[in-house]
């Protein structure tokens, strides 16, 4: 496979040349790094990465190829990926497409033959940067001008792009490696929830169904009043707020609807962006971390059990410490002591910042889905 050159310009003035193996053209986005050792397909198809270029610290990427069953959404919303070395030929019986074919199909850029350690250290030291990558334009001044005229990631409402346009029912559990299929009929509890799609991952829905909950997925612009009416009638037993991309402070209308649910004391559970949205709806705005948390090996302490769980993380924003005035901290990130989980004092609401669905990643926090089911 002949790899074409690609030119990269970052907002701090860094200009680089590498090789392209995915979509050809020009794309802008925010560059972040991910420390996971596996699961690149699940990471790339996670809607939470919309508008971002992901630098993989794992040096060899592509060996297991890609397949339809490991998708976390219907497409790739990430702008692209950086890898040190590309494995063009997959070696896995489940593979249906190579990584280059996969990226081209979903119009996402692939960049290789570049020093990913250098990029990771730069992001670690000075934070994520807006950047542009192009297989068409090589002049750094032109790239600088193109980047300057593009919107920044915090200025774009990516939720409108990644959320489902209409409601639907999710009706299967997690992937079963022995049967090579999804669990179709886990034990049912007779409890139904609404899952608000802010960029939801497929495996979150799988886990919710797996613990016995009936799951109806609704768009980001759902009606809080309608959800409250259905809860009072006994049609639903709670609401789940999903993960998703972008700056949570831009979601003013969504926060207003969530506030209605809070006031009505509707039971809620939230992950990642949903966790942040709950904080905002309670009157505690989020803030941006220096370089975010992205990876599958982050230690989090459960303050109830004092057990340290190894978790999957994917967020650039965090809830403020001042939220302790209205909520108890249930989980703490041991890398930077930021809040990873909350239980609100005056309502049946709790949330976590990390990803207990573990796709990809460790499964030590998977119990949280059962905890949600037990509370309804």
């Amino acid at each position: 496979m002949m790899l074409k050159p690609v030119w990269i310009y970052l907002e701090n003035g860094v200009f680089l040349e590498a090789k392209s193996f995915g979509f050809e053209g020009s794309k802008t986005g925010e560059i972040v790094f991910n420390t996971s050792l596996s699961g690149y397909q699940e990471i790339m198809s996670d809607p939470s990465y919309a508008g971002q270029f992901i630098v993989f610290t794992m040096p060899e990427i592509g060996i297991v190829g890609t397949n339809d069953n490991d998708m976390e959404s219907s497409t790739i919303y990430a702008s692209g990926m950086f890898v040190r070395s590309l494995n063009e030929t997959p070696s896995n019986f489940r593979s249906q497409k190579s990584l280059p074919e996969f990226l081209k199909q979903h119009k996402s850029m692939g960049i290789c033959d570049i020093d990913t350690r250098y990029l990771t250290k730069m992001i670690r030291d000075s934070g994520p940067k807006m950047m542009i990558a192009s297989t068409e334009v090589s002049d750094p001044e032109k790239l600088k001008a193109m980047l300057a005229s593009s919107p920044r990631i915090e200025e774009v409402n990516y939720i409108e792009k990644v959320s489902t346009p209409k409601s639907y029912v999710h009706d299967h559990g997690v992937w079963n490696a022995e049967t090579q299929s999804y669990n179709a009929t886990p034990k049912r509890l007779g409890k139904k929830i609404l899952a608000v799609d802010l960029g939801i991952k497929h495996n979150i829905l799988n886990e919710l169904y797996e613990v016995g909950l009936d799951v109806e997925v609704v768009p980001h612009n759902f009606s809080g009043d309608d959800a409250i009416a259905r809860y009072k009638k006994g049609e639903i037993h709670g609401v789940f707020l999903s993960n998703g991309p972008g700056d949570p402070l831009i979601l003013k209308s969504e926060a207003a609807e969530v506030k209605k649910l809070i006031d009505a004391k509707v039971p809620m559970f939230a992950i990642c962006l949903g966790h942040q949205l709950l904080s905002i709806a309670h009157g505690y705005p989020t803030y941006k971390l220096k370089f975010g948390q992205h990876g599958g090996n982050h230690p989090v302490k459960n303050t109830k059990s004092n057990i340290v769980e190894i978790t999957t993380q994917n967020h650039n924003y965090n809830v403020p410490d001042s939220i302790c005035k209205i909520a108890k901290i249930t989980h703490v990130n041991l890398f930077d002591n930021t809040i990873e989980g909350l239980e609100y004092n005056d309502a049946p609401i709790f949330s976590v910042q990390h990803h207990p669905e573990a796709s990809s990643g460790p499964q030590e926090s998977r119990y949280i889905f059962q905890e949600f089911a037990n509370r309804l």
Side-chain angles (χ1 to χ4, degrees):
M1 178 180 176
M2 293 293 293
L3 301 180
K4 295 184 178 180
V6 57
W7 296 273
I8 302 107
Y9 184 88
L10 282 72
E11 64 177 325
N12 62 354
V14 171
F15 175 67
L16 302 164
E17 181 178 343
K19 297 296 184 182
S20 169
F21 64 89
F23 172 81
E24 295 178 6
S26 300
K27 280 183 177 285
T28 60
E30 181 182 59
I31 186 171
V32 299
F33 67 84
N34 187 296
T35 59
S36 296
L37 300 181
S38 62
Y40 56 80
Q41 179 181 349
E42 292 93 328
I43 293 167
M44 289 299 292
S45 58
D46 180 351
S48 298
Y49 281 109
Q52 293 180 318
F53 282 90
I54 308 165
V55 178
F56 285 86
T57 59
M58 178 65 179
E60 301 284 338
I61 298 287
I63 190 63
V64 296
T66 64
N67 67 78
D68 294 340
N69 290 322
D70 288 345
M71 292 292 288
E72 285 295 337
S73 64
S74 60
T75 189
I76 297 177
Y77 293 101
S79 298
M81 65 190 299
F82 286 83
V83 303
R84 176 66 186 91
S85 299
L86 168 68
N87 284 285
E88 297 179 34
T89 305
S91 178
N92 188 302
F93 76 98
R94 296 179 65 227
S95 179
Q96 297 168 322
K97 287 186 176 70
S98 68
L99 182 55
E101 292 172 330
F102 173 70
L103 292 180
K104 289 177 181 177
Q105 175 191 354
H106 294 285
K107 295 181 172 55
S108 185
M109 300 189 81
I111 300 170
C112 64
D113 294 353
I114 193 167
D115 189 346
T116 51
R117 178 175 290 186
Y118 163 76
L119 291 172
T120 301
K121 287 182 176 180
M122 180 184 65
I123 298 166
R124 180 197 65 189
D125 293 340
S126 59
K129 299 280 183 289
M130 289 299 297
M131 57 155 283
I132 184 170
S134 179
T135 59
E136 305 165 322
V137 180
S138 59
D139 185 300
E141 291 303 317
K142 290 183 179 179
L143 291 172
K144 180 180 180 180
M146 292 168 66
L147 179 60
S149 64
S150 301
R152 299 184 62 83
I153 192 167
E154 59 267 21
E155 298 171 345
V156 181
N157 188 340
Y158 287 102
I159 308 303
E160 296 174 346
K161 300 181 180 182
V162 303
S163 180
T164 181
K166 58 182 180 181
S167 301
Y168 65 93
V169 173
H170 184 83
D171 60 0
H172 65 74
V174 300
W175 178 261
N176 189 315
E178 292 185 4
T179 63
Q180 289 294 295
S181 62
Y182 292 101
N183 290 339
T185 55
K187 184 178 178 181
R188 312 318 302 149
L189 298 176
K191 297 178 180 180
K192 183 175 184 177
I193 63 163
L194 295 184
V196 181
D197 182 5
L198 306 170
I200 200 165
K201 292 175 65 180
H202 287 169
N203 206 47
I204 288 178
L205 296 174
N206 297 346
E207 293 285 0
L208 289 168
Y209 189 85
E210 185 76 14
V211 296
L213 298 174
D214 297 325
V215 183
E216 180 183 339
V217 185
V218 296
H220 70 100
N221 55 351
F222 76 106
S223 166
D225 292 330
D226 179 65
I228 292 168
R230 295 181 67 181
Y231 173 68
K232 289 181 176 179
K233 292 177 183 177
E235 295 177 6
I236 63 170
H237 298 80
V239 172
F240 170 75
L241 304 177
S242 84
N243 63 297
D247 188 341
L249 291 177
I250 205 171
L251 306 179
K252 299 186 185 306
S253 59
E254 289 84 353
E257 298 305 305
V258 171
K259 180 65 164 59
K260 294 177 182 179
L261 301 182
I262 294 170
D263 293 342
K265 297 191 181 302
V266 175
M268 280 191 281
F269 167 47
I271 290 174
C272 203
L273 180 64
H275 164 82
Q276 298 160 10
L277 196 59
L278 276 174
S279 177
I280 294 168
H282 276 93
Y284 291 82
T286 51
Y287 66 95
K288 191 167 187 177
L289 295 166
K290 180 179 178 181
F291 51 79
Q293 304 282 12
H294 308 278
N297 49 9
H298 293 232
V300 166
K301 183 179 180 180
N302 183 320
T303 61
K304 292 182 177 180
S305 65
N306 284 327
I307 292 174
V308 175
E309 304 163 15
I310 304 303
T311 69
T312 297
Q313 304 270 346
N314 178 21
H315 63 282
N316 277 349
Y317 301 87
N318 214 72
V319 303
D321 292 342
S322 57
I323 201 167
C324 293
K325 296 175 183 177
I326 62 166
K328 301 181 185 70
I329 297 177
T330 59
H331 298 79
V332 176
N333 190 303
L334 295 184
F335 277 161
D336 59 7
N337 291 317
T338 53
I339 295 172
E340 285 283 345
L342 293 168
E343 187 170 316
Y344 287 86
N345 296 336
D346 300 323
I349 300 171
F350 74 109
S351 62
V352 292
Q353 181 64 75
H354 51 283
H355 282 258
E357 78 282 356
S359 185
S360 62
Q363 299 184 352
E364 297 178 20
S365 299
R366 191 179 178 190
Y367 67 90
I368 295 174
F369 291 102
Q370 186 63 58
E371 187 174 327
F372 180 41
N374 293 344
R375 293 186 181 204
L376 298 178

